[in-house]
Amino acid sequence: MDIHRRSAKSSPSTTPQGGGGFHHLSHGHGHEIHQKNPSSSAVDHRSSSPAPKASDALPLPLYLTNAIFFTLFFTVAYYLLHRWRDKIRNSTPLHVVTLSEIAAIVSLMASFIYLLGFFGIDFVQSFIARASHDAWDLDDASDSHCHHHDFAIDQQTLKLLEPEPFISSISSEEDKAIINSVIDGTVPSYSLESKLGDCKRAASLRRQALQRMTGRSLQGLPLDGFDYDSILGQCCEMPIGYVQIPVGIAGPLSLDGYEYSVPMATTEGCLVASTNRGCKAIFASGGATSTLLRDGMTRAPVVRFASAKRASELKFFLEDPVNFETLALIFNRSSRFARLQKIQCSLAGKNLYMRFSCSTGDAMGMNMVSKGVQNVLDFLQNDFPDMDVIGISGNYCSDKKPAAVNWIEGRGNNIVSAIFIATGQDPAQNVESSHCLTMMEAVNDGRDLHISVTMPSIEVGTVGGGTQLASQSACLNLLGVKGASRESPGSNARLLATIVAGSVLAGELSLMSAIAAGQLVKSHMKYNRSRKDVSQVAY
């Protein structure tokens, strides 16, 4: 990623179609994005007291009621089918029914209506909720939404600022019993979602139980206003609330002839402002260009043999080009998008470390490559039955830790963390994704400055994990890289990687400018403080 200072030129005015992002980076192609005025949307108003639910009127817990109606439905259905088969065999008219058959028909209809009402309505509502998440794609909104938008935000802000009691009010005796059962260990806290069938209620009861067990208040940690169903089984276990992180915008970042407004989630003062200043300098210089060096994710299992000689035999087998086609076929069965690129082996005594590299489409791909590696290990076990698999990851990957191999071979700044959080990436992988070499050189007899950043290990994706959450999905949509690219799988992830590198370039340029001008400490003292602190310093 580099920028060569030159006379400013006008930016393109066409609006692009989509973009991309990725794991290893230095530089690539982009699409121009023009930021539209955000359409107003209505904010859900909820009363402070829990809303009554239909399940509260049931004599039994919801999961027991569902089990009873499921059992009833299939039992009477089997009974009626069995009876009708006998009538057909005996040439008995089907419309002639006994009292028991009438009761079975009524039971079948009742259970069907209950199951349709319970699961059918929830199924339809899930599509409605999913459609509402894409509201930012619309150019305009209804007038009623616009009228209530500002008022709704004020109400939501006031609600978050209201002090929360030490123990939230318990809506029913059933909730009280569940909380007590969690406290005494009768019901595991992690099982509340499956037992209650209501993720929001599970988080609330878990939160109240935790406060009673620890004797400490969770006042200030918001609970309302979050879709807990969206994180079940994939993003976070045993939730008790969510943390608010402000999202700022830097840009426009002029990259490869297109402009991007870069969302950054951070609590570090001056970070967004500094990046924005760098974007302004890049724009005035005619824009930055990028080149993508490689696209791939790695996983490196470690295996052990009885002797170093036996371990070396597997090393030679894996590195033999004749065997690669077979291994690739086994590996690629794990996913439609996983494609094995190479296997690199390193021997340490009786231990063999195998580093698998593969492309993963628009996903960051850690789970994808892990499944492929497991398939290969199972296949190798047939020809190497004495192979002892020590671990699916032997730190040769190397995941979520700084390592020279990631700089040399490629694999995946604070700026990186801010964009990662805003776009739903794994923040822990900021460690290896922040590998960066910044080069500056005076050119044109000292009249201009050439600056570049090389980042060999940016690990990002636009599908899976936190990218599907509403707020993170909105930030990806702003960049034009939301979801998977149908035309060119992987292009959205690759473009996102180039945008990350371009933003780092802007931040580096701004940082070096402040250091060269001797303004770094002064600027932070001025802007990275509240007004109250500034006044105290002045005194």
Side-chain angles (χ1 to χ4, degrees):
M1 179 77 60
D2 59 20
I3 176 175
H4 184 191
R5 182 186 174 193
R6 53 186 182 273
S7 60
K9 63 181 181 180
S10 59
S11 61
S13 59
T14 57
T15 303
Q17 308 268 331
F22 146 66
H23 323 301
H24 308 282
L25 165 300
S26 272
H27 325 303
H29 297 292
H31 301 282
E32 179 179 16
I33 303 295
H34 285 290
Q35 183 177 6
K36 299 179 181 178
N37 293 328
S39 57
S40 300
S41 59
V43 178
D44 185 21
H45 299 285
R46 295 189 178 97
S47 60
S48 57
S49 61
K53 301 177 182 178
S55 59
D56 295 338
L58 297 175
L60 296 174
L62 187 60
Y63 72 95
L64 288 179
T65 306
N66 289 342
I68 291 174
F69 276 98
F70 264 116
T71 304
L72 179 64
F73 177 84
F74 289 107
T75 300
V76 297
Y78 175 80
Y79 170 76
L80 290 174
L81 290 174
H82 182 73
R83 291 291 300 148
W84 291 340
R85 184 185 63 179
D86 291 341
K87 289 183 178 183
I88 293 174
R89 288 178 176 176
N90 299 330
S91 301
T92 304
L94 295 179
H95 63 275
V96 177
V97 293
T98 63
L99 185 60
S100 61
E101 291 172 344
I102 293 177
I105 294 174
V106 173
S107 300
L108 180 67
M109 294 177 61
S111 59
F112 177 78
I113 292 174
Y114 172 84
L115 295 176
L116 179 64
F118 184 83
F119 294 99
I121 293 177
D122 184 72
F123 180 76
V124 173
Q125 286 179 341
S126 66
F127 276 92
I128 296 176
R130 187 180 304 173
S132 66
H133 289 166
D134 293 334
W136 53 77
D137 286 331
L138 303 178
D139 291 333
D140 52 11
S142 64
D143 292 337
S144 61
H145 287 181
C146 294
H147 291 321
H148 296 288
H149 181 64
D150 294 335
F151 174 77
I153 293 178
D154 292 339
Q155 289 292 98
Q156 186 181 31
T157 303
L158 290 175
K159 183 176 183 181
L160 294 177
L161 293 178
E162 289 176 358
E164 183 183 52
F166 179 73
I167 298 295
S168 301
S169 60
I170 301 176
S171 60
S172 66
E173 289 299 322
E174 181 186 359
D175 286 353
K176 183 177 180 180
I178 293 174
I179 292 174
N180 291 333
S181 63
V182 172
I183 293 175
D184 61 27
T186 306
V187 174
S189 177
Y190 62 80
S191 67
L192 289 179
E193 280 79 5
S194 60
K195 288 183 177 296
L196 300 177
D198 186 336
C199 294
K200 168 67 182 303
R201 183 184 174 201
S204 177
L205 298 184
R206 179 183 296 113
R207 176 193 184 102
Q208 296 176 51
L210 180 62
Q211 289 184 130
R212 288 178 55 181
M213 287 188 294
T214 61
R216 297 183 179 275
S217 173
L218 289 173
Q219 178 180 342
L221 181 67
L223 176 68
D224 296 327
F226 188 82
D227 182 9
Y228 292 93
D229 291 320
S230 65
I231 65 173
L232 180 63
Q234 56 182 348
C235 290
C236 180
E237 297 75 38
M238 297 190 291
I240 57 171
Y242 61 97
V243 175
Q244 296 170 303
I245 301 179
V247 178
I249 197 74
L253 171 65
S254 179
L255 178 64
D256 296 321
Y258 300 98
E259 297 176 16
Y260 303 94
S261 296
V262 184
M264 302 173 65
T266 182
T267 56
E268 179 185 349
C270 293
L271 181 66
V272 178
S274 178
T275 306
N276 189 69
R277 186 172 69 159
C279 290
K280 183 177 181 181
I282 291 175
F283 187 88
S285 300
T289 58
S290 66
T291 303
L292 187 70
L293 299 181
R294 188 183 306 157
D295 179 4
M297 179 50 68
T298 63
R299 175 59 82 196
V302 54
V303 299
R304 178 185 298 165
F305 288 88
S307 66
K309 182 178 184 302
R310 185 61 172 159
S312 65
E313 292 176 0
L314 176 57
K315 171 180 167 65
F316 296 142
F317 177 85
L318 293 173
E319 294 179 344
D320 189 342
V322 176
N323 300 323
F324 182 81
E325 184 176 352
T326 301
L327 296 175
L329 181 64
I330 299 298
F331 183 96
N332 296 345
R333 290 176 181 173
S334 63
S335 169
R336 292 180 299 157
F337 302 102
R339 294 295 178 268
L340 184 63
Q341 297 171 337
K342 67 176 182 178
I343 305 175
Q344 182 180 4
C345 298
S346 182
L347 193 63
K350 299 185 294 182
N351 291 351
L352 180 64
Y353 299 83
M354 303 170 283
R355 197 171 198 259
F356 291 76
S357 299
C358 79
S359 59
T360 57
D362 283 306
M364 185 272 292
M366 282 303 306
N367 293 333
M368 192 182 301
V369 67
S370 296
K371 289 190 294 184
V373 169
Q374 187 62 59
N375 289 345
V376 174
L377 291 177
D378 294 340
F379 173 78
L380 293 175
Q381 202 82 58
N382 296 325
D383 293 330
F384 296 86
D386 54 335
M387 179 181 70
D388 182 17
V389 179
I390 304 301
I392 190 69
S393 177
N395 277 345
Y396 190 38
C397 306
S398 173
D399 185 32
K400 297 180 177 66
K401 58 188 71 68
V405 68
N406 285 342
W407 176 264
I408 298 171
E409 295 294 331
R411 189 178 193 262
N413 300 317
N414 194 288
I415 294 175
V416 175
S417 294
I419 301 177
F420 270 31
I421 295 173
T423 58
Q425 311 303 314
D426 185 347
Q429 288 177 313
N430 167 70
V431 177
E432 62 267 43
S433 297
S434 290
H435 282 307
C436 179
L437 179 63
T438 302
M439 303 289 291
M440 294 185 177
E441 180 184 1
V443 295
N444 296 334
D445 296 327
R447 294 190 301 271
D448 294 322
L449 175 69
H450 182 274
I451 176 174
S452 66
V453 295
T454 302
M455 304 182 68
S457 186
I458 296 182
E459 301 172 7
V460 294
T462 59
V463 297
T467 64
Q468 50 86 35
L469 298 179
S471 56
Q472 287 82 349
S473 183
C475 292
L476 290 170
N477 185 73
L478 175 64
L479 294 171
V481 295
K482 176 185 172 184
S485 172
R486 296 182 179 179
E487 296 78 15
S488 178
S491 62
N492 279 0
R494 289 190 289 269
L495 178 55
L496 179 57
T498 66
I499 293 173
V500 172
S503 302
V504 170
L505 177 65
E508 293 285 81
L509 180 59
S510 178
L511 175 63
M512 295 304 173
S513 299
I515 293 176
Q519 298 292 321
L520 181 63
V521 176
K522 182 179 179 180
S523 62
H524 278 74
M525 291 296 293
K526 181 177 181 181
Y527 297 108
N528 194 17
R529 292 176 178 269
S530 66
R531 293 185 178 180
K532 181 179 180 180
D533 289 336
V534 172
S535 62
Q536 290 174 348
V537 172
Y539 287 127

